[in-house]
């Protein structure tokens, strides 16, 4: 039998271990759980205090804890369905006034296309930005400047359809249009038009933003420029975009859509770089990598027609690493002949495999909304709502050959898990001073590994295998110091974020302390910890 002294010592030892464990959990929880403060509860978000036009919901929260990445699932305390910008402003003012007494964070959620829980807020408040779609789109059309004022919660596909009624369209797109305006502007919005017009953050004239203090601020290049530049590509850290003024141009009606193949990467990349630097070129330039794919050209025939069917039928892609150049030329039906001539001239300057020329003609809407067609097919098969461990990288031109030699065919042994996009853009077309971080060269490549993981699989199509491949790619880039930057970045620690922003970190941190000093906004990015954190941290 143990003596009272021994018993007391054992109990004290157990309590000490328990205390250490609790402190460990507090300091390491990725959802910013704080040991000296309390999470909010429904009473913290009093409906009487807020006087909302919309409403707060404390039920049916599961969808706000899920995104396209389908890997992170953090339940919020509540969801705000705002009917006006005032709803968002008054709610953020209320949270700001609560101060550090309660650990309450706020995330803006558009169409939920984030990959790693960036639009989630554990035990916080998620704002459903699509509730603002009811705001009417307003057009300004004249010879000097045409634009549309649109709610940040509106989908780009809806902006396209409304603009086309007036024969207009935004200049720059993402490949997938079922995303919100505010969501893409908080990142960059890159697609095959970026080499010509810059990303979407280049093609916005004015923003309305609600800061972390609840202030509603209109900003542009001329007015509140610091906030304007900070919010563009700012990952939601300085304010919630509620309205945007988007540049418009005359819209074409038809698109000549072309694919050709290369077996040599240097030749492929040289042709891409020549096309994006030429005065006379295509309107859209992208590319993708195909590794060990069987029957590739036959798969294209449902959408594309081969220029030479006989030669195309004799081409074999099996066991090869190939590179597809995908280009498009916009036109109107009355200009078909001259457009075809222009295309022939452009193609004659390229060094692709001649038997692999495939062409298609579609409407402008069909071309821009092409990914949605694939989405519908995958949804029918139950293959859309699976984990998507995507990896998006920006690689400087000087390192692209080294990257390709190591990654394509060595680290990545096939492309059956999803597309691998690759195309260059011109930095000269990008707006200076935004929060978007790019490599330190005039030309850099977007590399997008768009994998889908099969649930419960332990093979090459399983989540663990794909994540391991992604980690090997990132590790190679870091070890060789090729100047890579992540697009749609995902980092776990502030030190990693500091490395990501490099010399721009000071400006980024200053803007955070100016516009969101309590670190209320966008906790899912894991860049800044809520000010209510434990004193010892």
């Amino acid at each position: 039998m143990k003596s009272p002294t021994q018993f007391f010592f054992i109990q004290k030892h157990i309590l000490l271990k328990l205390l250490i464990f609790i402190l460990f959990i507090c300091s390491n929880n990725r959802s910013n759980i704080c040991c000296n403060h309390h999470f909010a509860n429904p009473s913290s978000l009093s409906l009487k205090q807020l006087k909302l036009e919309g409403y707060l919901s404390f039920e049916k929260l599961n969808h706000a804890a899920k995104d396209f990445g389908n890997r992170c699932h953090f339940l919020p305390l509540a969801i705000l369905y705002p009917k006006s910008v005032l709803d968002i402003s008054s709610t953020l003012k209320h949270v700001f006034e609560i101060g550090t007494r309660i650990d309450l964070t706020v995330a803006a959620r558009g169409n939920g296309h984030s990959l790693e829980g960036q639009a989630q807020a554990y035990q916080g408040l998620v704002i459903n930005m699509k509730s603002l779609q009811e705001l009417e789109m307003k057009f300004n059309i004249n010879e000097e400047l045409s634009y549309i004022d649109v709610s940040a919660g509106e989908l780009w596909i809806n902006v396209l359809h409304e603009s086309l009624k007036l024969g207009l369209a935004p200049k720059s797109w993402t490949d997938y249009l079922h995303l919100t305006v505010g969501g893409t502007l908080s990142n960059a919005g890159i697609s095959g038009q970026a080499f010509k017009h810059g990303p979407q953050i280049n093609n916005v004239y004015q923003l309305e933003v609600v800061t972390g203090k609840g202030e509603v601020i209109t900003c542009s290049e001329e007015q509140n420029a610091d906030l304007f530049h900070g919010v563009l590509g700012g990952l939601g850290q300085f304010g919630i975009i509620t309205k945007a003024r988007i540049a418009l141009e005359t819209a074409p009606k038809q698109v000549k859509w072309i694919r050709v193949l290369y077996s040599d990467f240097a030749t492929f990349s040289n042709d891409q770089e020549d096309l994006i630097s030429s005065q006379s070129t295509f309107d859209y330039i992208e590319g993708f990598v195909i590794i060990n794919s069987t029957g590739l050209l036959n798969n294209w025939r449902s959408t594309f027609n081969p220029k030479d069917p006989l030669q195309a039928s004799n081409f074999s892609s099996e066991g090869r690493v190939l590179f597809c150049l995908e280009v498009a030329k916009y036109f109107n039906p009355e200009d078909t002949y001259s457009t075809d001539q222009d295309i022939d001239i452009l193609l004659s300057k390229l060094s692709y495999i001649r038997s692999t020329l495939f062409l298609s003609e579609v409407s402008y809407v069909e071309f821009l909304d092409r990914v949605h067609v694939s989405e519908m097919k995958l949804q029918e098969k139950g293959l859309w709502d699976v984990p998507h461990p995507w990896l998006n990288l920006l690689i400087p031109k000087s390192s692209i050959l080294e990257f390709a030699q190591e990654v394509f065919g060595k680290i990545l042994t096939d492309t059956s898990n999803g597309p691998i996009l690759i195309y260059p853009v011109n930095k000269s077309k990008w707006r200076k001073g935004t929060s978007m971080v790019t490599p330190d060269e005039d030309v850099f490549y977007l590399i997008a590994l768009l994998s889908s993981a099969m649930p419960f699989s332990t093979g090459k199509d399983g989540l663990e295998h794909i994540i391991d491949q992604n980690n090997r790619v990132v590790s190679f880039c870091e070890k060789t110091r090729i100047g890579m930057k992540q697009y749609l970045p995902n980092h776990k620690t502030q030190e990693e974020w500091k490395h990501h922003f490099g010399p721009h970190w000071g400006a980024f941190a200053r803007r955070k302390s100016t516009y969101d000093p309590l670190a209320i906004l966008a906790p899912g990015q894991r860049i800044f910890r809520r000010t209510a954190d434990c004193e010892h941290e």
Side-chain angles (χ1 to χ4, degrees):
M1 184 179 221
K2 294 179 176 66
S3 68
T5 302
Q6 289 174 313
F7 182 78
F8 175 76
F9 176 80
I10 292 170
Q11 292 291 93
K12 183 178 179 181
H13 182 67
I14 292 172
L15 287 171
L16 182 61
K17 290 179 71 175
L18 181 60
L19 179 60
I20 291 172
F21 176 74
I22 292 171
L23 288 173
F24 174 80
I25 292 297
C26 285
S27 64
N28 286 281
N29 191 286
R30 64 188 290 188
S31 300
N32 290 344
I33 297 175
C34 181
C35 49
N36 289 337
H37 294 81
H38 302 285
F39 285 126
N41 55 53
S43 64
S44 305
L45 297 169
S46 169
L47 290 171
K48 292 181 180 179
Q49 286 179 289
L50 292 176
K51 298 178 181 179
L52 301 171
E53 295 178 51
Y55 66 97
L56 276 167
S57 175
F58 297 93
E59 300 176 346
K60 298 180 180 178
L61 307 175
N62 287 338
H63 72 279
K66 183 181 178 181
D67 56 27
F68 181 71
N70 203 14
R71 296 181 57 209
C72 299
H73 303 90
F74 298 129
L75 274 173
L77 170 72
I79 302 174
L80 172 65
Y81 294 87
K83 289 295 181 186
S84 66
V85 175
L86 183 61
D87 282 355
I88 297 175
S89 173
S90 59
T91 300
L92 281 171
K93 278 182 182 176
H94 178 69
V95 176
F96 182 73
E97 288 167 0
I98 290 173
T100 60
R101 289 176 288 123
I102 295 175
D103 190 6
L104 182 63
T105 55
V106 179
R109 185 181 194 273
N111 213 26
H113 213 260
S114 299
L115 299 174
E116 298 285 342
Q118 288 96 332
Q120 298 176 27
Y122 179 66
Q123 287 298 294
L125 178 66
V126 171
I127 300 178
N128 187 323
M129 296 302 294
K130 290 172 70 176
S131 289
L132 284 174
Q133 283 187 41
E134 295 181 4
L135 297 176
E136 183 182 359
M137 299 185 203
K138 295 181 180 179
F139 290 88
N140 179 82
I141 304 171
N142 59 56
E143 292 182 2
E144 293 183 0
L145 190 71
S146 293
Y147 59 79
I148 178 175
D149 287 327
V150 60
S151 164
E154 193 63 78
L155 298 181
W156 282 104
I157 184 66
N158 296 335
V159 176
L160 173 63
H161 286 308
E162 286 300 309
S163 301
L164 286 176
K165 292 177 182 178
L166 300 173
L168 300 169
K171 299 177 181 179
S172 192
W173 299 97
T174 56
D175 286 331
Y176 181 61
L177 302 190
H178 295 253
L179 306 172
T180 58
V181 170
T184 64
L185 294 180
S186 295
N187 289 282
I190 308 175
S191 184
Q193 303 87 2
F195 80 95
K196 196 170 190 178
H197 299 292
Q200 289 182 316
I201 58 174
N202 258 59
N203 297 280
V204 55
Y205 296 134
Q206 181 176 290
L207 298 171
E208 180 184 76
V209 176
V210 182
T211 70
K213 301 175 186 178
E215 303 165 313
V216 181
I217 299 177
T218 298
C219 54
S220 65
E221 290 278 8
E222 296 76 29
Q223 179 184 12
N224 299 307
D226 184 63
L227 179 61
F228 180 70
H229 290 131
V231 168
L232 293 174
L235 306 175
Q237 291 299 307
F238 315 122
I240 295 174
I241 300 172
T242 51
K243 188 183 295 182
R245 178 166 290 176
I246 307 298
L248 298 175
E249 65 177 0
T250 302
K253 292 183 172 62
Q254 295 293 115
V255 175
K256 298 278 188 178
W257 185 9
I258 300 162
R259 285 178 178 175
V260 294
L261 289 176
Y262 295 74
S263 58
D264 177 69
F265 181 81
T267 306
F268 164 74
S269 59
N270 285 338
D271 276 359
Q272 280 193 320
E273 290 168 17
D274 287 344
L275 286 173
I276 70 165
S277 62
S278 299
Q279 288 286 350
S280 177
T281 188
F282 293 98
D283 297 295
Y284 161 98
I285 299 170
E286 285 196 11
F288 52 93
V289 185
I290 307 113
I291 304 172
N292 195 23
S293 177
T294 302
L296 175 67
L297 299 190
N298 284 331
N299 293 335
W300 288 359
R301 289 173 188 264
S302 60
T303 306
F304 294 85
N305 296 312
K307 181 75 171 179
D308 188 325
L310 181 60
Q311 286 191 43
S313 63
N314 292 328
F315 180 83
S316 175
S317 58
E318 188 171 358
R320 304 173 68 179
V321 177
L322 297 168
F323 307 95
C324 176
L325 173 64
E326 183 173 52
V327 294
K329 192 75 171 172
Y330 305 155
F331 71 105
N332 292 320
E334 61 270 23
D335 302 320
T336 299
Y337 179 74
S338 61
T339 301
D340 287 340
Q341 284 187 315
D342 291 342
I343 290 172
D344 287 342
I345 292 171
L346 288 170
L347 290 176
S348 69
K349 299 176 182 178
L350 304 179
S351 301
Y352 61 91
I353 302 169
R354 297 299 162 180
S355 61
T356 65
L357 174 57
F358 274 65
L359 308 96
S360 180
E361 184 176 322
V362 295
S363 72
Y364 187 56
V365 173
E366 284 179 290
F367 176 72
L368 291 180
D369 202 28
R370 61 197 179 281
V371 176
H372 185 57
V373 175
S374 300
E375 175 193 350
M376 300 303 291
K377 291 178 181 178
L378 290 171
Q379 282 185 345
E380 289 175 3
K381 298 176 181 178
L383 298 176
W384 185 254
D385 296 319
V386 298
H388 295 98
W390 286 8
L391 179 64
N392 295 273
L393 306 175
L394 304 176
I395 306 294
K397 171 185 171 180
S398 63
S399 302
I400 195 63
L401 285 176
E402 182 182 2
F403 178 90
Q405 287 170 0
E406 179 64 24
V407 174
F408 304 140
K410 291 185 179 180
I411 295 177
L412 305 177
T413 57
D414 58 61
T415 54
S416 59
N417 295 324
I420 301 174
L421 303 185
I422 176 170
Y423 55 92
V425 293
N426 297 313
K427 194 171 185 175
S428 61
K429 302 290 185 179
W430 291 50
R431 175 178 259 138
K432 295 180 180 179
T434 71
S435 293
M436 174 64 186
V437 178
T438 62
D440 296 326
E441 292 187 13
D442 292 337
V443 174
F444 55 89
Y445 281 74
L446 172 72
I447 311 291
L449 310 182
L450 308 181
S451 301
S452 298
M454 294 300 101
F456 312 114
S457 173
T458 57
K460 290 184 177 181
D461 58 353
L463 183 61
E464 186 176 339
H465 176 78
I466 296 170
I467 291 176
D468 178 65
Q469 281 188 328
N470 288 349
N471 290 339
R472 289 170 62 195
V473 172
V474 172
S475 178
F476 163 75
C477 293
E478 292 175 346
K479 287 179 180 178
T480 54
R481 298 182 180 180
I482 63 175
M484 173 271 289
K485 293 294 182 183
Q486 284 193 31
Y487 176 55
L488 309 177
N490 171 44
H491 299 295
K492 301 296 189 296
T493 68
Q494 194 172 86
E495 284 304 310
E496 290 176 333
W497 281 109
K498 287 180 179 179
H499 178 71
H500 170 78
F501 285 104
H504 306 290
W505 171 254
F508 196 84
R510 176 191 58 77
R511 283 168 171 160
K512 185 67 171 180
S513 65
T514 301
Y515 303 111
D516 183 26
L518 300 186
I520 292 167
L521 297 172
Q525 297 284 3
R526 298 183 285 278
I527 304 175
F528 299 95
R529 294 178 69 87
R530 182 78 160 89
T531 305
D533 282 342
C534 305
E535 293 178 2
H536 68 272
E537 295 178 348

PDB file of all heavy atoms in Angstrom, residues 166-183:
ATOM      1  N   LEU A 166     -25.465  42.534 -74.022  1.00  0.00           N
ATOM      2  CA  LEU A 166     -25.111  43.843 -74.567  1.00  0.00           C
ATOM      3  C   LEU A 166     -23.940  43.754 -75.537  1.00  0.00           C
ATOM      4  O   LEU A 166     -23.362  44.773 -75.924  1.00  0.00           O
ATOM      5  CB  LEU A 166     -24.773  44.802 -73.425  1.00  0.00           C
ATOM      6  CG  LEU A 166     -25.895  45.058 -72.416  1.00  0.00           C
ATOM      7  CD1 LEU A 166     -25.388  45.888 -71.242  1.00  0.00           C
ATOM      8  CD2 LEU A 166     -27.071  45.758 -73.087  1.00  0.00           C
ATOM      9  N   GLY A 167     -23.560  42.508 -75.888  1.00  0.00           N
ATOM     10  CA  GLY A 167     -22.458  42.315 -76.809  1.00  0.00           C
ATOM     11  C   GLY A 167     -21.101  42.557 -76.197  1.00  0.00           C
ATOM     12  O   GLY A 167     -20.120  42.812 -76.906  1.00  0.00           O
ATOM     13  N   LEU A 168     -21.001  42.450 -74.870  1.00  0.00           N
ATOM     14  CA  LEU A 168     -19.758  42.704 -74.147  1.00  0.00           C
ATOM     15  C   LEU A 168     -19.381  41.513 -73.289  1.00  0.00           C
ATOM     16  O   LEU A 168     -20.183  40.598 -73.088  1.00  0.00           O
ATOM     17  CB  LEU A 168     -19.911  43.946 -73.253  1.00  0.00           C
ATOM     18  CG  LEU A 168     -20.250  45.262 -73.960  1.00  0.00           C
ATOM     19  CD1 LEU A 168     -20.639  46.316 -72.938  1.00  0.00           C
ATOM     20  CD2 LEU A 168     -19.083  45.732 -74.804  1.00  0.00           C
ATOM     21  N   ALA A 169     -18.146  41.534 -72.779  1.00  0.00           N
ATOM     22  CA  ALA A 169     -17.680  40.468 -71.886  1.00  0.00           C
ATOM     23  C   ALA A 169     -16.435  40.953 -71.138  1.00  0.00           C
ATOM     24  O   ALA A 169     -15.688  41.801 -71.654  1.00  0.00           O
ATOM     25  CB  ALA A 169     -17.346  39.196 -72.653  1.00  0.00           C
ATOM     26  N   PRO A 170     -16.188  40.448 -69.929  1.00  0.00           N
ATOM     27  CA  PRO A 170     -14.909  40.727 -69.261  1.00  0.00           C
ATOM     28  C   PRO A 170     -13.741  40.242 -70.114  1.00  0.00           C
ATOM     29  O   PRO A 170     -13.894  39.358 -70.964  1.00  0.00           O
ATOM     30  CB  PRO A 170     -15.021  39.933 -67.960  1.00  0.00           C
ATOM     31  CG  PRO A 170     -16.489  39.867 -67.686  1.00  0.00           C
ATOM     32  CD  PRO A 170     -17.116  39.709 -69.047  1.00  0.00           C
ATOM     33  N   LYS A 171     -12.546  40.799 -69.871  1.00  0.00           N
ATOM     34  CA  LYS A 171     -11.385  40.504 -70.704  1.00  0.00           C
ATOM     35  C   LYS A 171     -10.656  39.241 -70.277  1.00  0.00           C
ATOM     36  O   LYS A 171     -10.103  38.510 -71.105  1.00  0.00           O
ATOM     37  CB  LYS A 171     -10.408  41.683 -70.656  1.00  0.00           C
ATOM     38  CG  LYS A 171     -10.971  42.981 -71.176  1.00  0.00           C
ATOM     39  CD  LYS A 171      -9.952  44.102 -71.028  1.00  0.00           C
ATOM     40  CE  LYS A 171     -10.499  45.421 -71.530  1.00  0.00           C
ATOM     41  NZ  LYS A 171      -9.512  46.521 -71.360  1.00  0.00           N
ATOM     42  N   SER A 172     -10.595  38.990 -68.975  1.00  0.00           N
ATOM     43  CA  SER A 172      -9.766  37.907 -68.448  1.00  0.00           C
ATOM     44  C   SER A 172     -10.621  36.954 -67.624  1.00  0.00           C
ATOM     45  O   SER A 172     -11.541  37.386 -66.923  1.00  0.00           O
ATOM     46  CB  SER A 172      -8.635  38.485 -67.584  1.00  0.00           C
ATOM     47  OG  SER A 172      -7.670  37.517 -67.277  1.00  0.00           O
ATOM     48  N   TRP A 173     -10.277  35.664 -67.688  1.00  0.00           N
ATOM     49  CA  TRP A 173     -11.121  34.643 -67.072  1.00  0.00           C
ATOM     50  C   TRP A 173     -10.283  33.663 -66.257  1.00  0.00           C
ATOM     51  O   TRP A 173      -9.051  33.657 -66.324  1.00  0.00           O
ATOM     52  CB  TRP A 173     -11.882  33.860 -68.152  1.00  0.00           C
ATOM     53  CG  TRP A 173     -12.777  34.712 -68.969  1.00  0.00           C
ATOM     54  CD1 TRP A 173     -12.512  35.254 -70.195  1.00  0.00           C
ATOM     55  CD2 TRP A 173     -14.088  35.156 -68.613  1.00  0.00           C
ATOM     56  NE1 TRP A 173     -13.583  36.008 -70.633  1.00  0.00           N
ATOM     57  CE2 TRP A 173     -14.560  35.963 -69.689  1.00  0.00           C
ATOM     58  CE3 TRP A 173     -14.914  34.954 -67.502  1.00  0.00           C
ATOM     59  CZ2 TRP A 173     -15.825  36.566 -69.673  1.00  0.00           C
ATOM     60  CZ3 TRP A 173     -16.170  35.551 -67.498  1.00  0.00           C
ATOM     61  CH2 TRP A 173     -16.612  36.339 -68.561  1.00  0.00           C
ATOM     62  N   THR A 174     -10.984  32.821 -65.527  1.00  0.00           N
ATOM     63  CA  THR A 174     -10.394  31.584 -65.023  1.00  0.00           C
ATOM     64  C   THR A 174     -10.921  30.459 -65.910  1.00  0.00           C
ATOM     65  O   THR A 174     -11.893  30.643 -66.640  1.00  0.00           O
ATOM     66  CB  THR A 174     -10.787  31.321 -63.552  1.00  0.00           C
ATOM     67  OG1 THR A 174     -12.220  31.325 -63.460  1.00  0.00           O
ATOM     68  CG2 THR A 174     -10.225  32.401 -62.647  1.00  0.00           C
ATOM     69  N   ASP A 175     -10.311  29.283 -65.827  1.00  0.00           N
ATOM     70  CA  ASP A 175     -10.775  28.171 -66.668  1.00  0.00           C
ATOM     71  C   ASP A 175     -12.165  27.698 -66.249  1.00  0.00           C
ATOM     72  O   ASP A 175     -12.902  27.140 -67.069  1.00  0.00           O
ATOM     73  CB  ASP A 175      -9.795  26.999 -66.581  1.00  0.00           C
ATOM     74  CG  ASP A 175      -8.514  27.268 -67.350  1.00  0.00           C
ATOM     75  OD1 ASP A 175      -8.556  28.021 -68.338  1.00  0.00           O
ATOM     76  OD2 ASP A 175      -7.463  26.751 -66.949  1.00  0.00           O
ATOM     77  N   TYR A 176     -12.512  27.917 -64.988  1.00  0.00           N
ATOM     78  CA  TYR A 176     -13.799  27.469 -64.447  1.00  0.00           C
ATOM     79  C   TYR A 176     -14.579  28.704 -64.024  1.00  0.00           C
ATOM     80  O   TYR A 176     -14.091  29.497 -63.202  1.00  0.00           O
ATOM     81  CB  TYR A 176     -13.554  26.527 -63.264  1.00  0.00           C
ATOM     82  CG  TYR A 176     -14.780  25.952 -62.617  1.00  0.00           C
ATOM     83  CD1 TYR A 176     -15.661  25.151 -63.333  1.00  0.00           C
ATOM     84  CD2 TYR A 176     -15.055  26.186 -61.271  1.00  0.00           C
ATOM     85  CE1 TYR A 176     -16.784  24.609 -62.731  1.00  0.00           C
ATOM     86  CE2 TYR A 176     -16.169  25.638 -60.651  1.00  0.00           C
ATOM     87  CZ  TYR A 176     -17.033  24.854 -61.388  1.00  0.00           C
ATOM     88  OH  TYR A 176     -18.150  24.305 -60.784  1.00  0.00           O
ATOM     89  N   LEU A 177     -15.772  28.907 -64.571  1.00  0.00           N
ATOM     90  CA  LEU A 177     -16.506  30.157 -64.374  1.00  0.00           C
ATOM     91  C   LEU A 177     -17.527  30.110 -63.245  1.00  0.00           C
ATOM     92  O   LEU A 177     -18.136  31.138 -62.931  1.00  0.00           O
ATOM     93  CB  LEU A 177     -17.224  30.556 -65.668  1.00  0.00           C
ATOM     94  CG  LEU A 177     -16.347  30.750 -66.910  1.00  0.00           C
ATOM     95  CD1 LEU A 177     -17.164  31.373 -68.032  1.00  0.00           C
ATOM     96  CD2 LEU A 177     -15.119  31.587 -66.610  1.00  0.00           C
ATOM     97  N   HIS A 178     -17.708  28.953 -62.625  1.00  0.00           N
ATOM     98  CA  HIS A 178     -18.694  28.846 -61.552  1.00  0.00           C
ATOM     99  C   HIS A 178     -18.025  29.148 -60.208  1.00  0.00           C
ATOM    100  O   HIS A 178     -18.108  28.384 -59.247  1.00  0.00           O
ATOM    101  CB  HIS A 178     -19.360  27.476 -61.599  1.00  0.00           C
ATOM    102  CG  HIS A 178     -20.170  27.277 -62.848  1.00  0.00           C
ATOM    103  ND1 HIS A 178     -21.547  27.273 -62.865  1.00  0.00           N
ATOM    104  CD2 HIS A 178     -19.788  27.130 -64.148  1.00  0.00           C
ATOM    105  CE1 HIS A 178     -21.981  27.111 -64.107  1.00  0.00           C
ATOM    106  NE2 HIS A 178     -20.926  27.031 -64.905  1.00  0.00           N
ATOM    107  N   LEU A 179     -17.359  30.297 -60.191  1.00  0.00           N
ATOM    108  CA  LEU A 179     -16.672  30.836 -59.023  1.00  0.00           C
ATOM    109  C   LEU A 179     -17.161  32.256 -58.811  1.00  0.00           C
ATOM    110  O   LEU A 179     -17.599  32.927 -59.752  1.00  0.00           O
ATOM    111  CB  LEU A 179     -15.157  30.846 -59.241  1.00  0.00           C
ATOM    112  CG  LEU A 179     -14.498  29.530 -59.651  1.00  0.00           C
ATOM    113  CD1 LEU A 179     -13.038  29.763 -60.016  1.00  0.00           C
ATOM    114  CD2 LEU A 179     -14.583  28.521 -58.506  1.00  0.00           C
ATOM    115  N   THR A 180     -17.064  32.758 -57.579  1.00  0.00           N
ATOM    116  CA  THR A 180     -17.529  34.112 -57.313  1.00  0.00           C
ATOM    117  C   THR A 180     -16.469  35.143 -57.697  1.00  0.00           C
ATOM    118  O   THR A 180     -15.272  34.863 -57.684  1.00  0.00           O
ATOM    119  CB  THR A 180     -17.900  34.299 -55.837  1.00  0.00           C
ATOM    120  OG1 THR A 180     -16.761  34.011 -55.020  1.00  0.00           O
ATOM    121  CG2 THR A 180     -19.063  33.406 -55.445  1.00  0.00           C
ATOM    122  N   VAL A 181     -16.946  36.326 -58.004  1.00  0.00           N
ATOM    123  CA  VAL A 181     -16.064  37.432 -58.370  1.00  0.00           C
ATOM    124  C   VAL A 181     -15.090  37.748 -57.241  1.00  0.00           C
ATOM    125  O   VAL A 181     -13.881  37.868 -57.447  1.00  0.00           O
ATOM    126  CB  VAL A 181     -16.906  38.681 -58.731  1.00  0.00           C
ATOM    127  CG1 VAL A 181     -16.017  39.915 -58.872  1.00  0.00           C
ATOM    128  CG2 VAL A 181     -17.706  38.435 -60.005  1.00  0.00           C
ATOM    129  N   GLY A 182     -15.598  37.854 -56.025  1.00  0.00           N
ATOM    130  CA  GLY A 182     -14.737  38.163 -54.890  1.00  0.00           C
ATOM    131  C   GLY A 182     -13.717  37.079 -54.606  1.00  0.00           C
ATOM    132  O   GLY A 182     -12.585  37.370 -54.198  1.00  0.00           O
ATOM    133  N   GLY A 183     -14.093  35.832 -54.846  1.00  0.00           N
ATOM    134  CA  GLY A 183     -13.184  34.717 -54.597  1.00  0.00           C
ATOM    135  C   GLY A 183     -11.973  34.736 -55.501  1.00  0.00           C
ATOM    136  O   GLY A 183     -10.835  34.575 -55.046  1.00  0.00           O
TER     137      GLY A 183
END
